[in-house]
Amino acid sequence: MSLKSILAKPFAKSIAAKTYKESSNAVKIQYKLLKKLIKQAQHTKFGKDHHFSKINSYQDFKKHVPIRDYEALKTYVEKAVDGEADVLWKGKPLYFAKTSGTTSGAKYIPLTKQSMPTHISAAKNSLLLYINETQNTDFLNGKMIFLQGSPELDEKNGVKTGRLSGISAHYVPNYLTKNRMPSWETNCIDDWEKKIEAIVDETVHENMTLISGIPSWVQMYFEKLIERTGKKVGDIFPNFNLFVYGGVNYEPYRNKFENLIGRKVDTIELYPASEGFIAYQDSQTAKGMLLLTNNGIFYEFIPAEEFYNETPTRISLEDVELGVNYVIILNTNAGLWGYNIGDTIEFVSLNPHRIIVTGRIKHFISAFGEHVIGKEVEDAINSQTKGTSIRVNEFTVAPQISPSSGLPYHEWFIEFENKPDDLEKFSGAVDNALQQQNSYYFDLIDGKILRPLKVTIIKKGGFNKYMKSVGKLGGQNKVPRLSNDRKIADELSKYED
């Protein structure tokens, strides 16, 4: 056992103790954090405009600070991007994390001297809590890879800008730099397909023990490895035992990954966003991810079904309930206030507070009033593939409102690695699983408003070709699970099998 492994266990134990002590006082810590955030930002332009000096309670805060998305906060962000200081947070940001906005083009999310360390410590602590629970430190002795965006940064008025994953690459601790892959040069390749080939070149003969990234792009890496060697990933990397992922639900990919690897490996789910590191999986046995309540973010929650109401319910952590689909709202030490990142979550535990990501508030299907969400379609398809030979590479769902004949329906575009023997039976089973979860959908099927779903098979590689055609192949890009229109569906139809 290496010195690194020996030292990691007591350190992991102390971090776990600290983390769970904080989680047992989460509500108190959250209110204390809110006061601290308000005090630190009261002399900023945003703080003055929203009377931070008069805020003495959460009720006061709600009166003065409305819920906003990026578009509504954009005038403040643009001042900071233009080089002004003390706009959303004291001083100037350290970085702007550049992300792809769906309606506003490029978005620039501020990262500050106070917020940047929270991203790094959360990623580190997720591994330490894994070590504390499992006592597994083997992955520390081999090579690690994170499939990410380029670490090359641009500059805007003296502030460096880039993808969050690329910015984070500058913060790899010294004790991990020798373990870290790929090389800086390879990481800077923009063309995703060329980058994957170069990563395979560099890693295929290494002792890879930890692999991390968004599942859809790690899948591409695994397939290239197998294509190159003719071996399963678990045979190429016999000591590979930990997969760290985020961005999408892993369950629809699990069967496929276990087949590519040739065995099961432990997994850790992360919930990082450019706006803040929100949660991570702290246990291999408990469901959900631990909400990070002392990590520079004061959280608010709005029941998703009320979100578009004129006066929706807006609550703090103190009043959340199990099983409710909430829109999560952030107030951060990077200067984001009442900020809607667009995600929906559900609490699966209140002691400690653990969550699952259920989807996107804008990514749902309610063309007929069914309000089907991401979690429901993922659970439906997973229930019919788990433990079978059916393997799904990728899928998305859209409504077909005006079919050439018959009733409207939900159209599922699925790229299979292994197709079901009986597609009609599979489609019916997935539809029944969705009906069992969503009573509105059940009523529409039962009332002959909709007919059961239709599966459209996409050729192998079709989703990647679609993503390439819209300039979103690789990196942190993801195919939405759900759309309420046919924009993605009509493009994917070009790759129908």
Side-chain angles (χ1 to χ4, degrees):
M1 184 180 290
S2 68
L3 180 61
K4 196 185 297 182
S5 296
I6 294 169
L7 295 175
K9 290 183 179 180
F11 184 47
K13 185 176 181 180
S14 67
I15 292 297
K18 180 176 180 290
T19 300
Y20 290 121
K21 183 179 179 180
E22 289 174 350
S23 67
S24 66
N25 293 287
V27 171
K28 185 177 179 181
I29 286 172
Q30 277 280 281
Y31 284 136
K32 187 176 178 181
L33 177 60
L34 177 62
K35 288 183 179 180
K36 183 179 178 182
L37 293 173
I38 291 167
K39 184 177 180 180
Q40 290 182 307
Q42 66 178 335
H43 299 301
T44 63
K45 177 167 179 52
F46 188 94
K48 291 173 182 175
D49 288 350
H50 294 80
H51 311 290
F52 275 19
S53 61
K54 297 179 181 178
I55 296 176
N56 296 305
S57 67
Y58 176 51
Q59 294 305 316
D60 290 343
F61 181 77
K62 288 193 286 185
K63 289 175 186 175
H64 290 291
V65 180
I67 301 298
R68 285 180 168 94
D69 58 12
Y70 185 83
E71 282 296 302
L73 201 66
K74 195 173 181 179
T75 54
Y76 288 98
V77 175
E78 285 178 340
K79 290 180 187 297
V81 172
D82 288 342
E84 288 188 35
D86 303 320
V87 180
L88 288 160
W89 191 254
K90 56 188 180 181
K92 291 185 178 183
L94 276 182
Y95 302 96
F96 288 109
K98 187 178 179 181
T99 69
S100 300
T102 53
T103 58
S104 54
K107 298 195 294 186
Y108 293 91
I109 306 299
L111 296 166
T112 64
K113 183 180 178 181
Q114 288 75 27
S115 73
M116 195 63 219
T118 65
H119 289 269
I120 308 307
S121 63
K124 176 189 70 179
N125 289 351
S126 68
L127 296 176
L128 289 170
L129 264 66
Y130 169 79
I131 290 172
N132 183 66
E133 182 187 42
T134 65
Q135 296 297 295
N136 175 24
T137 58
D138 292 345
F139 68 90
L140 294 173
N141 301 318
K143 299 287 187 178
M144 308 177 189
I145 189 170
F146 177 57
L147 300 180
Q148 60 186 173
S150 171
E152 288 189 314
L153 305 179
D154 298 319
E155 196 169 291
K156 274 191 171 289
N157 297 309
V159 179
K160 293 185 184 299
T161 68
R163 301 287 179 180
L164 176 63
S165 61
I167 293 169
S168 299
H170 293 260
Y171 286 82
V172 177
N174 289 334
Y175 62 86
L176 287 182
T177 50
K178 290 182 179 178
N179 301 64
R180 175 87 174 205
M181 299 195 80
S183 66
W184 187 269
E185 293 73 23
T186 293
N187 230 358
C188 291
I189 297 173
D190 282 326
D191 185 292
W192 185 253
E193 289 168 305
K194 290 180 181 177
K195 185 172 184 171
I196 284 290
E197 291 288 357
I199 290 172
V200 170
D201 289 342
E202 288 189 2
T203 59
V204 68
H205 298 299
E206 295 288 347
N207 177 30
M208 303 303 300
T209 53
L210 183 153
I211 296 171
S212 179
I214 291 177
S216 50
W217 307 124
V218 175
Q219 178 179 314
M220 186 187 277
Y221 168 55
F222 284 173
E223 288 170 344
K224 290 290 183 183
L225 283 165
I226 292 170
E227 184 182 303
R228 183 79 63 88
T229 65
K231 298 178 181 178
K232 298 279 189 181
V233 174
D235 293 327
I236 302 167
F237 306 135
N239 296 316
F240 166 45
N241 57 39
L242 185 59
F243 174 48
V244 182
Y245 68 94
V248 297
N249 183 2
Y250 180 57
E251 289 310 312
Y253 297 93
R254 190 178 292 277
N255 272 8
K256 170 74 173 176
F257 266 61
E258 289 179 0
N259 180 259
L260 291 172
I261 298 166
R263 54 183 164 82
K264 293 182 179 181
V265 297
D266 285 348
T267 60
I268 300 176
E269 182 177 7
L270 308 180
Y271 186 6
S274 299
E275 296 84 355
F277 206 121
I278 296 167
Y280 56 66
Q281 181 182 344
D282 66 307
S283 171
Q284 293 294 299
T285 55
K287 184 180 180 182
M289 294 176 284
L290 186 70
L291 186 69
L292 304 182
T293 52
N294 193 23
N295 204 46
I297 305 171
F298 176 78
Y299 302 98
E300 298 178 87
F301 307 91
I302 297 174
E305 63 182 15
E306 297 183 31
F307 186 73
Y308 292 106
N309 294 355
E310 192 172 329
T311 55
T313 303
R314 179 180 175 183
I315 59 175
S316 67
L317 191 66
E318 184 175 18
D319 296 315
V320 297
E321 299 176 0
L322 294 174
V324 177
N325 195 35
Y326 291 110
V327 177
I328 187 169
I329 305 297
L330 308 184
N331 302 277
T332 78
N333 56 3
L336 300 175
W337 304 100
Y339 191 84
N340 168 29
I341 62 171
D343 289 346
T344 56
I345 62 95
E346 179 183 313
F347 284 88
V348 293
S349 167
L350 298 180
N351 185 27
H353 290 89
R354 291 196 181 99
I355 62 170
I356 57 172
V357 178
T358 53
R360 301 276 293 167
I361 190 61
K362 290 184 178 179
H363 292 171
F364 59 89
I365 298 179
S366 201
F368 310 93
E370 62 274 41
H371 208 88
V372 170
I373 63 173
K375 176 180 179 292
E376 291 168 344
V377 298
E378 287 176 338
D379 286 354
I381 199 166
N382 188 53
S383 70
Q384 302 309 311
T385 57
K386 191 173 184 179
T388 74
S389 62
I390 302 167
R391 289 194 286 277
V392 171
N393 288 342
E394 193 58 270
F395 76 96
T396 191
V397 187
Q400 177 51 271
I401 298 171
S402 305
S404 56
S405 63
L407 295 171
Y409 55 89
H410 286 186
E411 187 169 9
W412 290 54
F413 295 83
I414 305 178
E415 180 184 321
F416 290 101
E417 178 66 24
N418 281 356
K419 298 177 186 178
D421 294 330
D422 187 332
L423 185 62
E424 188 175 338
K425 182 180 178 182
F426 173 79
S427 302
V430 173
D431 196 80
N432 285 334
L434 185 56
Q435 289 183 48
Q436 289 172 23
Q437 294 181 80
N438 188 307
S439 59
Y440 301 108
Y441 183 70
F442 169 81
D443 289 341
L444 290 166
I445 298 289
D446 191 52
K448 303 293 189 292
I449 308 293
L450 294 179
R451 69 178 175 88
L453 67 85
K454 173 193 171 187
V455 171
T456 295
I457 298 178
I458 299 300
K459 295 176 183 177
K460 287 185 182 179
F463 272 86
N464 283 346
K465 287 177 182 176
Y466 160 71
M467 291 296 277
K468 187 175 183 179
S469 74
V470 295
K472 291 191 173 184
L473 182 68
Q476 305 307 105
N477 298 307
K478 299 159 290 210
V479 178
R481 285 286 183 244
L482 294 165
S483 303
N484 212 31
D485 57 42
R486 299 282 301 178
K487 288 178 184 176
I488 294 174
D490 290 344
E491 289 300 312
L492 275 173
S493 295
K494 298 174 183 177
Y495 307 102
E496 188 174 335
D497 194 355

